[in-house]
Amino acid sequence: MNEIFGIPIQALMGQLMLGLVNGAFYAMLSLGLAVIFGMLNIINFAHGALYMMGAFLAWLGLTYLDLGYWQSLLLAPLCMACFGVLIERCMLQWLYKLDHLYGLLLTFGLALVLEGLFTNQFGVSGQPYSIPDELTGAFNLGFMLLPKYRAWVIVASLVVCFATWFMIEKTRLGANLRAATENPQLTQAFGINVPLMVMLTYGFGCALAGFAGVLAAPAIQVSPLMGSNLIIVVFAVVVIGGMGSILGSILTGLGLGVIEGLTKVFYPEASSTVVFIIMAIILMIRPAGLFGKEK
Amino acid sequence: MKPSSAGYFALLVFGLIAPFIIYPVLMMKILCFALFACAFNLLLGYTGLLSFGHAAFFGTAAYVAGHAIKVWSLPPELGLLAGTLAAALLGWVFGSLAIRRQGIYFAMVTLALAQMMYFFFLQASFTHGEDGLQGVPRGSLLGVIDLADDINLYYFVLAIFIAAFCLIHRTIHSPFGQILKAIRENEARVISLGYDVAKYKLLCFVLSATLAGLAGATKMLVFKFATLTDAHWHASGEVVLMTILGGMGTVFGPLAGAAVIVALQNELADKVGSLVTVIMGSIFVICVLAFRRGIVGEMTALYQRLARNKA
Amino acid sequence: MNSLHSINAPLEYLQIRGLHAFYGESHVLHGIDLQVNRGECVSLLGRNGAGRTTTLRAILGLTGKRTGSIMVNGRETITMPTHRIAQLGVGYCPEERGIYASLSCEENLLLPPQVGSGGMSLAEIYAMFPNLAERRDSQGTRLSGGEQQMLALARILRSGAHLLLLDEISEGLAPVIVQKLGTVISQLKARGFTILLVEQNFRFAAPLADRMYIVENGQIAAEIAQGEIETKQDLLQEYLGV
């Protein structure tokens, strides 16, 4: 059988793979948002811009410093973590005592600034970034051709997501993080330096965004606007999944990516809005989100 | 500090003579965005609901009004009505969905819904996508006043603004408005008093969306086109910035904020290109960190401090 | 076994002079003066809202602005951040117990880092509180009220804290458990811990406390030693209605 529902298997599996890839990015970015939101109670609107910066760091590294893909994969997240720590110390820490909406507003302004600076410097058209040699080509699976780079993206993001989940749920450091998220004052009263943890958490979230950016660079063009449209979809993902659980964020992201991919096959005009439509439906039947805890 | 009657009168006089001092199209743009910001302020400043998707109403009304006037050949006043009603309907749908979540989630939902509208407009044929809906004739108001004349249109726009402003003013100072303010202060308390808070929030949201739509449709009439920019999330962000810069929860804050931002954009447009976004973002950041009361808020605080020192 | 104290250490382990504390604009403590000596168990008594819990929180820097002097083991702590103060060897059992829902029982127990030498080992803790061993993998908040109180106490014993700030540990618990708690506190006293015990239940605190302070309107209204309970009945009656 070469077709399912009138769509050739090749095309269907191809779109499914693509959907999984998109889902991997949704998962990584919503994970970063959830981790930051848990600790800081701030929705990091700048997350998309940080993802974009990660991709740009990879491109700049290649163009001006001859840094390859693998080095960028390590260095860009590190740079983004430092940048994140800087943002937290200089700006975010003053907002903790205020209404949570100010955090959203500040990171929104930050996103505009970052996007504007990069647009000004590099224009809106994308810069190409080639797939590293080791990952070019495709696996022949018989019923479909799986591009190596796509497989890598899926594997890498799953590993990173799983590692993050493991660190948070199963380690002492994760226990400290969970405690600081649940009750920061009491956790400080035990002698744990919570302000430091907050700072490092934001840095880690930024590193996750940067890592996703480097992963994205060979897949899509590196452009200053690559983050903003993506982040709004990730917001919808976060509303659908709720930010109650790490695993929930990951699963929701992956799932929605796959659904989006399938929509592209069967009803392409709706593919850019299907996530929002699902969000509307979830809001009607389960407002707290699939894995959310009513706050 | 309640704005004095003298203050209102001064502004009114300024409004009446403005087109002879300042380029009328610029003044009209300021008035439209001031209306947009006032509508937004009703939701944020008085009810405490941050919507990040108000561009959806602004843009929808612009497109619907534009289509009504250009394609269905409706006269301008009916075109504006059509646009405004479309925004009201959209406001009701979006509002019903959004108020199911609180605070930050509410903001994210409105943003996502607005983005959905953006994508719809991007793909729909009647909007002509990236080109936008161009060449919308201004027509004649009530078949008598030719709105192609900028001065005529200016007074029409001024009348719309004043009417809407009065509506907002009456709303804020009514029992309904008191409940909205109470909801912002302590929602749980309002619920415990037996009020259907969701209904009040929705009503406020719809009112805000309707007036935002009116602003969008009017702006379309001034510039004779509707584009995707009107429905882009940047526009949503702009109105938030105007309200915060001007002073949220104040009567004149949105006006001040709109005037400053529109004037700034006007001045900078040719000079700094895409750095305008950077400047807008920086103003956002500075306002949140150091200027939360906004222009009107800070001036009021200063005035009160001076008055106290004299006493 | 007074291994916790060295010969040259000051007698006062905790010394508070002229402590004023605020929650935002609200002036809650109006000049607290008190002192807890090494190895003593001192109780803070008073009506609800008198400022007893606030005093404990102020010691840890968990209130708003603080002025005055708080010396812990000879170190001035009035300007220190909370986690630093805790690291001096202060253990805190909050009024609401503060068991983390997002942590298991054992994770709750292991959470506080070592803030002093001589902390009890996990084995010793489980020997003292066998219930906690049984429930070690349960989610923290699934434990019963009594078990949560044991857990709250156990975790600061593990951390090696020498100054224990205990807030209303007997509140809302069955008499049998309250009795067990009393036994535990006596054992801790014997081992040389310094304890500041905020209590509503006079009958629980009286046999344990070497001295008692009565807090009223954010100030110390009276001080009563163990031996003076009989003679100062009228004071107790006036302030506590006991």
Side-chain angles (χ1 to χ4, degrees):
Chain A
M1 178 178 70
N2 250 347
E3 289 194 351
I4 300 181
F5 302 115
I7 313 281
I9 291 208
Q10 288 268 47
L12 185 65
M13 295 310 284
Q15 277 299 339
L16 215 65
M17 271 304 124
L18 208 53
L20 212 54
V21 168
N22 279 337
F25 283 109
Y26 292 158
M28 268 191 295
L29 291 176
S30 60
L31 180 60
L33 277 183
V35 168
I36 290 174
F37 181 71
M39 273 295 264
L40 283 75
N41 250 305
I42 287 179
I43 285 294
N44 188 25
F45 205 113
H47 218 67
L50 297 164
Y51 153 85
M52 177 268 290
M53 277 178 76
F56 258 101
L57 282 177
W59 179 79
L60 288 167
L62 183 66
T63 313
Y64 296 110
L65 296 173
D66 239 348
L67 286 173
Y69 176 81
W70 302 102
Q71 288 123 313
S72 290
L73 211 55
L74 207 64
L75 291 174
L78 241 66
C79 289
M80 294 315 299
C82 295
F83 186 63
V85 164
L86 204 68
I87 294 176
E88 198 273 336
R89 284 290 96 189
C90 296
M91 297 192 258
L92 295 179
Q93 69 160 319
W94 310 114
L95 303 181
Y96 298 146
K97 299 208 168 82
L98 303 175
D99 193 298
H100 303 152
L101 294 177
Y102 283 112
L104 178 57
L105 293 173
L106 185 116
T107 52
F108 177 79
L110 207 58
L112 287 179
V113 171
L114 292 172
E115 236 182 59
L117 285 174
F118 276 83
T119 307
N120 196 53
Q121 191 63 31
F122 299 104
V124 289
S125 53
Q127 316 288 347
Y129 190 93
S130 43
I131 299 178
D133 296 325
E134 303 87 357
L135 296 171
T136 49
F139 297 113
N140 192 335
L141 298 178
F143 59 89
M144 67 171 283
L145 281 171
L146 175 61
K148 282 190 189 167
Y149 194 72
R150 285 192 196 159
W152 160 247
V153 167
I154 296 173
V155 167
S157 30
L158 284 179
V159 166
V160 163
C161 286
F162 180 74
T164 304
W165 171 82
F166 187 83
M167 185 203 64
I168 292 177
E169 292 295 323
K170 300 287 174 192
T171 65
R172 276 296 291 276
L173 179 62
N176 285 6
L177 202 85
R178 279 175 283 140
T181 302
E182 185 176 334
N183 193 340
Q185 281 219 319
L186 183 63
T187 310
Q188 280 203 72
F190 287 132
I192 296 175
N193 191 344
V194 172
L196 182 68
M197 293 197 76
V198 169
M199 187 179 85
L200 293 177
T201 301
Y202 191 74
F204 177 72
C206 293
L208 271 181
F211 183 79
V214 178
L215 279 186
I220 62 182
Q221 300 235 298
V222 177
S223 119
L225 300 178
M226 66 194 275
S228 54
N229 287 333
L230 183 58
I231 197 65
I232 299 179
V233 180
V234 175
F235 279 177
V237 170
V238 154
V239 171
I240 292 171
M243 281 188 283
S245 90
I246 298 289
L247 214 53
S249 304
I250 299 172
L251 289 175
T252 312
L254 287 170
L256 285 169
V258 169
I259 293 177
E260 208 183 47
L262 289 174
T263 314
K264 222 170 262 178
V265 177
F266 294 108
Y267 192 21
E269 304 84 24
S271 59
S272 55
T273 52
V274 63
V275 176
F276 301 125
I277 294 171
I278 294 178
M279 181 190 79
I281 296 172
I282 294 287
L283 280 171
M284 289 193 282
I285 57 181
R286 203 188 139 87
L290 293 173
F291 300 94
K293 303 164 190 158
E294 202 61 74
K295 237 193 193 189
Chain B
M1 177 183 90
K2 283 213 157 59
S4 62
S5 322
Y8 281 120
F9 188 69
L11 275 176
L12 182 64
V13 168
F14 177 73
L16 290 170
I17 60 172
F20 303 108
I21 315 171
I22 305 175
Y23 184 43
V25 175
L26 180 63
M27 270 310 294
M28 287 192 275
K29 189 176 184 192
I30 291 178
L31 283 174
C32 288
F33 277 102
L35 177 57
F36 192 13
C38 284
F40 180 81
N41 189 33
L42 187 63
L43 200 57
L44 176 64
Y46 291 99
T47 320
L49 295 171
L50 173 63
S51 157
F52 243 105
H54 255 50
F57 313 119
F58 194 74
T60 300
Y63 275 121
V64 169
H67 191 84
I69 294 176
K70 182 174 181 193
V71 179
W72 298 338
S73 302
L74 287 183
E77 61 273 12
L78 289 184
L80 288 187
L81 190 65
T84 308
L85 284 177
L89 186 63
L90 195 68
W92 185 76
V93 173
F94 281 8
S96 311
L97 287 171
I99 58 176
R100 287 162 174 269
R101 297 308 307 268
Q102 317 272 51
I104 288 179
Y105 285 102
F106 175 86
M108 289 199 289
V109 169
T110 53
L111 179 59
L113 290 173
Q115 187 74 340
M116 186 169 77
M117 285 313 289
Y118 178 81
F119 282 123
F120 169 70
F121 287 135
L122 184 60
Q123 293 168 45
S125 54
F126 82 96
T127 60
H128 305 279
E130 306 261 352
D131 296 328
L133 188 64
Q134 310 229 5
V136 180
R138 286 195 190 158
S140 313
L141 180 62
L142 300 172
V144 174
I145 307 170
D146 179 21
L147 294 179
D149 182 323
D150 281 346
I151 301 287
N152 285 350
L153 182 61
Y154 173 81
Y155 286 111
F156 179 46
V157 171
L158 184 64
I160 292 176
F161 177 80
I162 292 175
F165 187 83
C166 289
L167 176 64
I168 292 176
H169 197 260
R170 284 304 304 276
T171 306
I172 294 169
H173 292 102
S174 70
F176 175 74
Q178 298 289 54
I179 295 173
L180 293 182
K181 276 180 251 182
I183 292 175
R184 186 193 65 196
E185 296 293 315
N186 191 341
E187 188 170 327
R189 172 91 51 81
V190 180
I191 297 175
S192 73
L193 288 170
Y195 288 100
D196 184 350
V197 167
K199 200 175 69 178
Y200 280 91
K201 282 185 183 175
L202 182 59
L203 218 58
C204 182
F205 193 91
V206 172
L207 185 58
S208 176
T210 310
L211 293 174
L214 179 61
T218 310
K219 174 183 160 296
M220 184 279 315
L221 203 61
V222 172
F223 289 98
K224 296 180 275 204
F225 60 75
T227 65
L228 287 174
T229 343
D230 298 333
H232 193 264
W233 59 271
H234 272 189
S236 293
E238 253 172 43
V239 74
V240 180
L241 179 59
M242 288 177 196
T243 308
I244 296 202
L245 177 63
M248 57 177 173
T250 64
V251 177
F252 291 119
L255 260 99
V260 169
I261 297 293
V262 171
L264 203 64
Q265 282 177 338
N266 201 53
E267 278 305 307
L268 296 175
D270 327 312
K271 291 163 193 151
V272 293
S274 46
L275 282 182
V276 173
T277 322
V278 178
I279 294 174
M280 294 296 135
S282 309
I283 298 178
F284 239 118
V285 171
I286 294 170
C287 276
V288 170
L289 287 176
F291 201 64
R292 277 187 290 276
R293 287 183 290 202
I295 295 172
V296 173
E298 287 294 333
M299 276 172 46
T300 310
L302 186 67
Y303 176 83
Q304 279 173 341
R305 209 173 20 245
L306 291 176
R308 229 177 310 157
N309 286 342
K310 273 207 197 107
Chain C
M1 163 179 87
N2 282 339
S3 50
L4 292 172
H5 311 305
S6 73
I7 308 168
N8 295 320
L11 176 64
E12 317 82 27
Y13 200 87
L14 172 68
Q15 191 181 83
I16 303 178
R17 293 267 170 273
L19 174 65
H20 290 255
F22 298 78
Y23 280 120
E25 298 285 318
S26 187
H27 191 173
V28 190
L29 296 181
H30 299 91
I32 296 275
D33 291 302
L34 68 86
Q35 138 182 350
V36 183
N37 300 325
R38 260 165 222 292
E40 259 196 320
C41 175
V42 168
S43 186
L44 286 186
L45 304 169
R47 277 184 266 266
N48 276 333
R52 301 164 297 143
T53 297
T54 309
T55 304
L56 289 192
R57 291 171 60 86
I59 295 171
L60 278 166
L62 293 175
T63 60
K65 193 173 79 155
R66 306 177 294 161
T67 59
S69 160
I70 303 179
M71 306 266 283
V72 175
N73 199 13
R75 299 275 299 273
E76 177 60 69
T77 65
I78 198 76
T79 52
M80 277 190 190
T82 301
H83 63 274
R84 280 268 195 261
I85 301 175
Q87 285 164 5
L88 290 177
V90 182
Y92 179 46
C93 241
E95 192 175 357
E96 63 281 3
R97 298 187 192 128
I99 301 301
Y100 295 94
S102 45
L103 267 54
S104 72
C105 174
E106 185 158 290
E107 280 178 320
N108 263 284
L109 195 50
L110 295 174
L111 181 78
Q114 296 293 327
V115 293
S117 59
M120 294 168 72
S121 70
L122 200 57
E124 284 179 289
I125 299 267
Y126 281 145
M128 200 177 211
F129 304 102
N131 289 41
L132 298 181
E134 259 178 61
R135 311 275 264 129
R136 64 166 64 139
D137 290 322
S138 304
Q139 187 200 6
T141 40
R142 290 251 173 86
L143 273 58
S144 72
E147 286 168 339
Q148 286 191 28
Q149 188 59 72
M150 303 285 179
L151 181 55
L153 199 48
R155 65 186 170 184
I156 56 177
L157 295 180
R158 202 197 69 84
S159 70
H162 297 169
L163 173 62
L164 306 182
L165 306 178
L166 309 178
D167 199 346
E168 306 248 11
I169 56 175
S170 72
E171 186 186 9
L173 297 180
V176 159
I177 306 186
V178 173
Q179 210 175 33
K180 160 103 183 176
L181 277 178
T183 315
V184 170
I185 303 288
S186 305
Q187 287 173 345
L188 295 177
K189 273 185 69 176
R191 289 166 79 138
F193 282 86
T194 306
I195 304 174
L196 185 55
L197 190 68
V198 163
E199 259 306 327
Q200 183 84 304
N201 183 349
F202 179 74
R203 259 178 276 285
F204 176 73
L208 295 170
D210 300 312
R211 283 182 301 122
M212 286 164 269
Y213 288 102
I214 298 184
V215 182
E216 173 115 331
N217 289 328
Q219 285 179 313
I220 300 293
E223 182 181 340
I224 303 175
Q226 248 290 352
E228 292 176 314
I229 295 182
E230 299 294 320
T231 49
K232 294 203 174 163
Q233 272 296 322
D234 51 328
L235 267 181
L236 290 168
Q237 181 75 318
E238 182 187 336
Y239 288 112
L240 308 176
V242 182

